[in-house]
Amino acid sequence: MASLGIEAEQEPLLGDHTPGSREGDIIETEEHYKSRWRSIRILYLTMFLSSVGFSIVIMSIWPYLQKIDETADASFLGWVIASFSLGQMVASPIFGLWSNYRPRKEPLIVSIFISVAANCLYAYVHLPASHNKYYMLVARGLVGFGAGNVAVVRSYIAGATSLQERTGSMANTSACQALGFILGPEHRVDDSGRQCKSINFEEASPDEVQDPQGNIDQVAVASTNVLFFVVLFIFALFETIVTPLTMDMYAWTREQAVLYGGIILAALGVEAVIIFMGIKLLSKKIGERAILLGGLIVVWVGFFILLPWGNQFPKIQWQDLRNNSIPNATFGEIIITLWKSPRDDHNEGPTGCPIEQAWCLYTPMIHLAQFLTSAVLIGIGYPSCNVMSYTLYSKILGPKPQGVYMGWLTASGSAARILGPVFISQVYTSWGPRWAFSLVCGLVVLTITLLGVVYRRLIAFSVRRGRIPE
């Protein structure tokens, strides 16, 4: 019985099939195998380039926004970053549905053309005489719409890999995204086109074919969407707050915030690649669910460490006010002093925590060592949760066309990337980092509780149907 389960996991089945046919009778040829993996590797490259394009601009959005439109504030920054995800949320189900009925190359090509045009618009938003911040808002929204092709990529990879290949392929996809995040900040200033059925199709009874949706555990599907939402929500708010937080806490100039923030994200990208490679081995020993749970716990620890404490306060951004509340130099200040260049004395304006943010006067500063430790932990937990979420999701769906379902998963992630930046920019500006990160810790605790409740339901379709032992 166990040997049959292993064969079912490894069975490479592609092609057009008639309802109720025995899929196990179809054997994949070597030519078909090479074609399948050539297509998958092309999609790896697509994800890499998409990630490079995103990470090149993410750290410079805030300084660029301040430069082109002086009326823009930190709250509007949240909307600009969220507009990317709003566009992606709208596009993902559309592209996913499109890929279910037409060759996948069609939505991929259209989305790439949209992305190119939108990035050209973003490059020239400084030219209009007024309302520049709204042009940036539209440009980022269109870039996000083009990025909706992630649903097509994931649905193809899920359908073109066996259960045994799935975790490794999903990890490779995420690793390509992480490599894009590494290289992007450093540059800041089916090959035939036919639609392919799922490789992990199994022998289906007439009842299953007639009622395909009834065979999916909808509770597990909904729960995984919620888990994926929270994972993306957490990382979106973290990447949004890096630049404002470091400028407020460490009195970095705009140029410094972009440079050092880019270095931090690039380092997290290297860390993520290592994590993705390790996950492929670790998942075979302890399973995807355990890694997801462990990743959430690590993320919680990371945000808990980020909570402000002590009696030292950030420098106030007020040109005529000298902040004497920090009598001795801290470790963070020493590092910042070493990083400063001779031209920092002629920066673009006052630095430090703006006096308009009342919490700057009574909230302790977040030490640089604190921030870096937190970033390392979040850099471990986020990639683990991310890849395990949609690996589990694709396995739960089983032998079904996954374009629409992957579209909804991507849409839930996009919704998180909309709400995350808006949430953190509003709470951080009004109440400060203590409230913001405390609420995030509470959210992660609720998510861990949800995972515990549905833990036993997050299993592969074949396992639930009794064809493969858990």
Side-chain angles (χ1 to χ4, degrees), residues 449-467:
T449 303
L450 171 64
L451 178 58
V453 171
V454 300
Y455 193 87
R456 293 186 177 277
R457 305 188 72 145
L458 302 182
I459 56 178
F461 181 90
S462 300
V463 174
R464 188 169 62 84
R465 301 295 296 180
R467 300 197 179 99

Side-chain angles (χ1 to χ4, degrees), residues 195-213:
Q195 184 176 358
C196 210
K197 298 295 184 179
S198 175
I199 191 174
N200 64 319
F201 266 106
E202 305 158 36
E203 181 181 348
S205 68
D207 291 339
E208 292 177 4
V209 174
Q210 291 171 6
D211 186 20
Q213 302 301 323

Side-chain angles (χ1 to χ4, degrees), residues 11 58 83 102 109 128 173 308 317 342 351 416 424:
E11 202 159 50
I58 187 64
S83 65
R102 296 288 301 169
I109 291 173
T173 304
Q317 187 189 110
T351 59
I424 196 65

Side-chain angles (χ1 to χ4, degrees), residues 296-369:
L296 287 172
I297 293 173
V298 172
V299 167
W300 182 86
V301 174
F303 276 100
F304 183 80
I305 290 175
L306 203 53
L307 293 173
W309 55 275
N311 56 5
Q312 295 179 340
F313 300 88
K315 172 189 173 183
I316 301 300
Q317 187 189 110
W318 199 357
Q319 288 178 319
D320 297 328
L321 179 66
R322 296 183 62 86
N323 188 345
N324 297 316
S325 61
I326 310 178
N328 299 316
T330 65
F331 171 77
E333 291 177 308
I334 295 173
I335 296 298
I336 293 168
T337 301
L338 294 175
W339 280 354
K340 283 186 176 179
S341 61
R343 59 180 177 174
D344 285 343
D345 294 332
H346 308 283
N347 56 50
E348 301 170 357
T351 59
C353 201
I355 191 65
E356 293 82 6
Q357 297 176 164
W359 57 263
C360 294
L361 299 174
Y362 57 81
T363 301
M365 71 178 294
I366 298 172
H367 300 275
L368 184 61

